[in-house]
Amino acid sequence: MRQNLKSLALVLLVTVVVLNLFMFGLLSYTLNASYQRTIDQVRTNVTNLALMMDHSITGAAREIVLVVEELQYYLDRELAAGRQLPPEELRQLVRDREGWIGHIARLHISDADGLVMSAPPEYRERLGFAQLDAFHQLRENPDLEQVITHLVRSPISEDWVLVCLRRYNLPDGRFGGVVAAAVDASYFVGLLSDLDLGPHGIALIRDLDRRLVARHPPLDAPPGQTGAIGGSRELTALMDAGVATGLFYSQGTADGIPRTDAFRRLEQLPVVVVAGLGEADYMAIWRHDRNKAIGLGLLFFLVTTLGAQLLWRQVRTSYRANRRSRMLLQHASDGIHILDEYGRLLEASDSFYRMLGYRPAGPIRPLVENWDAWHSPQEIRSLVRGTLRYQRGRIFESRFRHRDGHDFPVEVTSVPLEIDGQPLVFNAARDITERKKVEEELRIAARAFESQVGMLITDADLRILRCNEAFSRITGYQLQDIVGRKPSLLQSGRHDKSFYEAMWHGLNTQGSWQGEIWNKRKNGEVYPQLLSIGTVRNEAGETTHYVASLSDISARKATEEQMRTLAFYDSLTKLPNRRLFLERLEHAYAAVQRLHTFGALLVVDLDNFKTLNDTEGHTAGDLLLEQVANRLVACVPHQEAVARLGGDEFVVLLDNLSADQVEAARQAEKVAQDALAALSRPYQLDQAEYRGSASIGITLFGSGESQSAAEVLRNAHLAMSQAKISGSSGWCFFDTSMPEQVRERSEIDAGLRIALEQDQFVLHYQPQVDDDGRILGAEALVRWLHPQQGMISPGRFVPIAEQNGLILPLGNWVLWAACRQLAHWADDPRLAHLTLAVNVSANQLAQADFVDRVLAALTETGAPAKRLKLELTESALAQEIESVIDKMNQLKEHGVSFSLDDFGTGYSSLNYLNRLPLDQLKIDQSFVQGMLQDTNSAEIAQMIVLLAERMGLSVLAEGVETPDQQVALQKRGCHQFQGYLFGRPMPVEEFERMLLGRD
């Protein structure tokens, strides 16, 4: 045993050393990986910061260049027209454009000698750009249009500036002067100050001569002054190498702070931007983690060392305890016996020998089957092997055979153990003869009394003698709580005196009573109970006891109530459902008829509920419906006035309103306003806040009118539909014209399908002309030629087609009809030059086979693709822009052209606009019709023309109705028009006569 202790001590020592080596290796690997992640993250961060600086400065530069170009374009155009621009007009022109970019740069216009013409007369001779090399470059090189200087002293204010100069020419092509925009270096300081750089970060801008343009945070030293030439060795090397972007680590900085930096050379300006993060900032967390890791390693070493010491003490203690246990074995009260894996007796206590009738340590046959009278030898070996195999103790009953031949019951506790490497089974046997006798007696008594039904026994004076476990489980009272007391303590108080008199009359006359009763549990809860009471009489017929059996029928009652709730109430909101609501509406209608008053019915429908379900899931939708139900209930006099008809539709029933119709309407309107206000408050859906709205339809009923409940509900639904059409978060009263509007809408909806089947649609053509009135093409506009109603305007049927999905077959019909017309014109030399514009809806463009449909129409009709122009609206570009661009590029490859309709009224991104393969922009008619009265409309039209020219696109103005509008557009550079001034939409025969007549 002592040798085993020495081996165990060596194993413990080796284990502690190996564990600590593994722990320190793991911590080292983790710290190294964390260090690499930190370095990678800071490089990504400084790269992103430099990119943000690039985007911010480049955006400002683009604004400046656009304004300078616009001024140069204006000067070239006016000088070419022979106009001489006086200084006052030039100053006004500069002031107007500085209103656009005054926060960025100052604008100047100089003559050919560099003198600033836009300055006041008293300063004009002293201000100029002749000393700038960039000015001489532009004057001497006619092919050079624009130059942006490095950081220079302003010739105007002596401040450090970057100057953008653009050449403009005299009518004969000679150099006329420059348009200049000077950007103060202080502007760039403002851009840098918004960056989050940390306590030791830096952001700076240097021109290509390494002059400092701006620095944040500022440095109160010569290297930190604007215009100072400098920069770290690493930055200088990268700039000299001519690379566009780079990362570097700098220690020799002006303020002595080590940093990781990123730089970018800007395309729009002759500068580089640098963003850096201080090493002390981004390494602070890693160094803190390193210190924690060292502490953790030391703690692990201390814990393992201490644990090994404690374990060693435990082993030594166990060794001593084993010696003591061998002594206790001989004095145990139970029959202790130890078996080997074959079931042979190795050692036993004195009590075991006495249990079997032998002298302690006397001769006994060693195998278990010699004294176990219950198990066969195979079963005994199976028990022993199972205990050793699964290393799990077990307790089982058996019968031992006494030396004199009788057997007796025992309870054996069997536990596996190992001594000196040998697997053994430790058994403790206890004689349970007396316990078995007691258990048998109790089993017989309990079988007669215990059941799932509560039992209560009283004497003749109603004093409680006994109760079973089922009674305690049902009532909560234990036997010691109620012995000697009377059953009246269970009474709930719900039954009157007559109820108990009838009970006792049945007991006294018939000897028993059974029925349902409400009793009270120990905790005060009142519950329904099925109770049976019987009397026990002696031989003389005298009552000696009462025996009561009782059952808790709460579950049955709850099931009955649940069935009623499922039948009449909504399971989610617990509000009345459609079935119960219609019954209440019938009663309310009869009541107001009888009292000659008015009632009101409000149908509440949530706006955009389907969108919430589709995006956030039905769980969020259910949460919203529960909160809506609670808010509606809070807006009405009683909860029963609100019901849920289904989905996101609720109804509010108001009865017993005023007998005056106007006052009743005011009362209903007040409830509707309260409900809309309540439903517009924010909702909390799990962790997200949601804002919703609703539409409410209201109808009055009663006071002599003859209507059914179904008609009242239908009228409220019609009013709700009208409220939705009028806009979200509104309410609307029912009026008698609504059924006619619904009927008309339904007729159009049904008629559209028939119109498509019977080819009732026709195309009208509106001319598109140039400056001289020559017809260049037309826009194809669909009309519905109804056999009974005549010509129906698109404004009546196109919105309905958008809603019911028929816009797809209708749009396909328009495309094919237009292609057939183009093919017809292509055969006539007088008409072959015409283009035809066809409107394409967002739904059509979203179809996966849109390109195939267009190409099929062109191929099968023989129409020339280069004469087909598809007009898109900005709403068609709102989603899946990448897919739209791909489809447009595919059609462009076949010659189809594209026009962006109603430009300026939506929210097109200029970034996407630059990528779209467009051929034409159409100025929306709202700007055209307002440009003579509204300067903003005129300016927008001007900017659209300039933007189109820069992008190489043509411009067409639609909605031109007067010659003055045409002249104003021509002055701003627009030379294609469409509108009533040149012709209304007309049948193709009239359009062709108009065209050929002009020719």
Side-chain angles (χ1 to χ4, degrees), residues 773-919:
R774 289 191 298 270
I775 297 178
L776 306 175
E779 179 177 0
L781 301 168
V782 67
R783 298 291 188 268
W784 181 3
L785 186 58
H786 196 280
Q788 286 80 35
Q789 301 180 29
M791 196 69 71
I792 298 179
S793 167
R796 292 178 59 193
F797 66 85
V798 169
I800 296 175
E802 292 277 3
Q803 294 176 5
N804 61 18
L806 292 180
I807 194 64
L808 295 177
L810 179 58
N812 195 46
W813 180 91
V814 172
L815 177 64
W816 278 77
C819 288
R820 284 192 292 270
Q821 188 60 54
L822 273 177
H824 173 71
W825 286 344
D827 295 334
D828 189 339
R830 299 171 301 173
L831 306 173
H833 68 284
L834 295 175
T835 61
L836 190 55
V838 177
N839 290 290
V840 176
S841 72
N843 290 335
Q844 286 179 269
L845 196 57
Q847 297 299 303
D849 60 347
F850 173 72
V851 174
D852 295 335
R853 288 180 180 272
V854 176
L855 295 179
L858 291 169
T859 301
E860 297 187 26
T861 61
K866 64 181 180 179
R867 300 300 179 193
L868 177 63
K869 180 166 57 179
L870 300 182
E871 290 196 0
L872 311 178
T873 60
E874 294 188 43
S875 61
L877 310 176
Q879 296 179 349
E880 299 183 358
I881 187 67
E882 298 298 335
S883 174
V884 171
I885 293 173
D886 180 61
K887 293 173 182 176
M888 293 175 68
N889 282 325
Q890 293 182 50
L891 292 174
K892 286 280 289 185
E893 292 175 359
H894 291 83
V896 178
S897 60
F898 289 90
S899 175
L900 187 57
D901 198 6
D902 301 334
F903 182 69
T905 60
Y907 302 93
S908 291
S909 168
L910 292 179
N911 183 36
Y912 285 136
L913 184 63
N914 186 47
R915 297 175 55 200
L916 290 169
L918 294 170
D919 300 277

Side-chain angles (χ1 to χ4, degrees), residues 358-388:
Y358 294 94
R359 290 182 290 102
I364 185 173
R365 302 180 69 179
L367 295 178
V368 178
E369 56 262 30
N370 294 321
W371 68 79
D372 193 308
W374 203 345
H375 298 93
S376 66
Q378 292 80 5
E379 292 173 335
I380 292 172
R381 282 192 289 273
S382 177
L383 286 171
V384 172
R385 290 170 182 170
T387 301
L388 293 175

Side-chain angles (χ1 to χ4, degrees), residues 345 349-367 370-371 401-405 408:
L345 181 66
S349 65
D350 294 347
S351 57
F352 177 75
Y353 286 99
R354 288 193 295 270
M355 181 182 294
L356 297 180
Y358 294 94
R359 290 182 290 102
I364 185 173
R365 302 180 69 179
L367 295 178
N370 294 321
W371 68 79
R401 185 180 299 110
H402 196 270
R403 182 181 181 184
D404 60 12
F408 55 94

Side-chain angles (χ1 to χ4, degrees), residues 117-416:
M117 297 188 297
S118 57
E122 59 271 21
Y123 299 107
R124 192 176 305 153
E125 296 299 327
R126 294 185 289 128
L127 303 178
F129 296 97
Q131 66 270 40
L132 296 180
D133 293 339
F135 176 86
H136 295 285
Q137 293 174 20
L138 290 171
R139 184 171 63 183
E140 296 167 3
N141 188 354
D143 295 329
L144 187 62
E145 291 186 353
Q146 179 175 292
V147 175
I148 300 177
T149 70
H150 293 188
L151 191 67
V152 297
R153 288 288 187 180
S154 171
I156 309 299
S157 63
E158 293 301 318
D159 295 327
W160 287 105
V161 294
L162 293 174
V163 186
C164 173
L165 299 101
R166 188 171 185 87
R167 170 193 182 113
Y168 71 88
N169 295 324
L170 298 175
D172 57 2
R174 290 182 298 110
F175 178 72
V178 297
V179 178
V183 186
D184 285 338
S186 59
Y187 169 75
F188 297 101
V189 175
L191 292 181
L192 302 184
S193 62
D194 293 333
L195 297 176
D196 184 9
L197 303 169
H200 298 92
I202 185 175
L204 58 86
I205 304 171
R206 290 188 182 276
D207 68 6
L208 299 185
D209 294 331
R210 297 193 291 115
R211 289 188 182 275
L212 181 65
V213 178
R215 186 186 195 275
H216 180 76
L219 178 64
D220 189 14
Q225 302 302 313
T226 302
I229 298 176
S232 65
R233 293 189 302 274
E234 295 82 4
L235 176 60
T236 302
L238 287 172
M239 290 179 65
D240 292 340
V243 296
T245 61
L247 289 167
F248 60 93
Y249 176 82
S250 61
Q251 284 184 315
T253 59
D255 53 8
I257 299 175
R259 296 186 180 90
T260 295
D261 305 277
F263 93 100
R264 294 181 67 87
R265 184 188 300 267
L266 271 60
E267 296 181 0
Q268 296 290 329
L269 291 175
V271 299
V272 297
V273 295
V274 178
L277 294 178
E279 184 180 56
D281 298 334
Y282 61 79
M283 292 300 295
I285 296 178
W286 181 85
R287 288 171 179 147
H288 179 68
D289 292 342
R290 178 195 61 190
N291 295 336
K292 289 198 297 185
I294 294 173
L296 181 62
L298 294 175
L299 179 62
F300 183 81
F301 174 76
L302 292 176
V303 169
T304 52
T305 303
L306 181 61
Q309 291 178 350
L310 293 176
L311 182 60
W312 173 244
R313 292 178 183 176
Q314 185 66 30
V315 169
R316 294 180 61 188
T317 302
S318 298
Y319 172 73
R320 296 188 184 99
N322 185 53
R323 295 180 59 190
R324 290 194 298 269
S325 64
R326 297 179 64 85
M327 298 179 62
L328 294 174
L329 178 65
Q330 307 304 321
H331 304 282
S333 59
D334 290 340
I336 306 299
H337 53 289
I338 299 175
L339 307 177
D340 65 10
E341 58 184 322
Y342 303 105
R344 293 177 299 205
L345 181 66
L346 298 181
E347 192 171 352
S349 65
D350 294 347
S351 57
F352 177 75
Y353 286 99
R354 288 193 295 270
M355 181 182 294
L356 297 180
Y358 294 94
R359 290 182 290 102
I364 185 173
R365 302 180 69 179
L367 295 178
V368 178
E369 56 262 30
N370 294 321
W371 68 79
D372 193 308
W374 203 345
H375 298 93
S376 66
Q378 292 80 5
E379 292 173 335
I380 292 172
R381 282 192 289 273
S382 177
L383 286 171
V384 172
R385 290 170 182 170
T387 301
L388 293 175
R389 180 183 301 116
Y390 299 110
Q391 291 295 303
R392 185 172 62 242
R394 64 176 65 187
I395 299 176
F396 61 92
E397 292 186 1
S398 183
R399 296 188 71 85
F400 279 5
R401 185 180 299 110
H402 196 270
R403 182 181 181 184
D404 60 12
H406 79 275
D407 55 60
F408 55 94
V410 293
E411 180 182 78
V412 180
T413 300
S414 182
V415 179

Side-chain angles (χ1 to χ4, degrees), residues 543-696:
T543 299
T544 59
H545 298 84
Y546 292 99
V547 178
S549 62
L550 53 96
S551 299
D552 185 349
I553 58 174
S554 300
R556 191 186 78 187
K557 289 291 186 181
T559 301
E560 293 174 355
E561 182 62 25
Q562 185 178 14
M563 294 294 291
R564 180 180 179 277
T565 299
L566 291 174
F568 293 103
Y569 290 88
D570 175 51
S571 59
L572 177 64
T573 63
K574 306 303 182 291
L575 294 177
N577 59 15
R578 177 182 290 270
R579 178 178 176 184
L580 181 57
F581 165 73
L582 290 177
E583 290 183 7
R584 291 180 176 172
L585 180 57
E586 293 282 359
H587 293 313
Y589 185 79
V592 297
Q593 290 287 81
R594 184 176 65 256
L595 299 173
H596 299 288
T597 59
F598 281 96
L601 182 63
L602 284 67
V603 173
V604 182
D605 188 87
L606 303 183
D607 298 325
N608 304 315
F609 180 73
K610 183 178 183 301
T611 302
L612 174 66
N613 267 342
D614 292 343
T615 56
E616 302 297 331
H618 290 279
T619 300
D622 290 346
L623 289 174
L624 176 63
L625 291 175
E626 291 181 30
Q627 296 181 47
V628 167
N630 293 334
R631 295 185 185 186
L632 286 176
V633 169
C635 295
V636 295
H638 48 86
Q639 179 176 351
E640 290 74 12
V642 183
R644 182 188 177 199
L645 296 186
D648 61 336
E649 192 172 86
F650 297 82
V651 289
V652 178
L653 178 61
L654 304 175
D655 55 2
N656 198 24
L657 299 179
S658 174
D660 178 69
Q661 186 174 11
V662 174
E663 178 61 21
R666 189 196 63 77
Q667 293 172 340
E669 179 182 333
K670 176 64 169 59
V671 174
Q673 291 173 343
D674 292 344
L676 288 176
L679 299 182
S680 64
R681 295 198 307 269
Y683 299 87
Q684 192 65 33
L685 307 181
D686 285 337
Q687 303 301 319
E689 184 178 88
Y690 173 77
R691 290 183 177 272
S693 61
S695 300
I696 299 180

Side-chain angles (χ1 to χ4, degrees), residues 499-536:
F499 175 85
Y500 292 105
E501 288 177 350
M503 174 193 296
W504 282 109
H505 178 75
L507 279 171
N508 293 330
T509 57
Q510 302 177 14
S512 64
W513 180 88
Q514 181 174 340
E516 292 185 4
I517 187 173
W518 287 89
N519 272 341
K520 183 169 62 177
R521 305 187 205 272
K522 183 179 181 181
N523 61 8
E525 178 188 354
V526 176
Y527 67 102
Q529 187 183 92
L530 180 63
L531 177 63
S532 296
I533 306 175
T535 59
V536 179

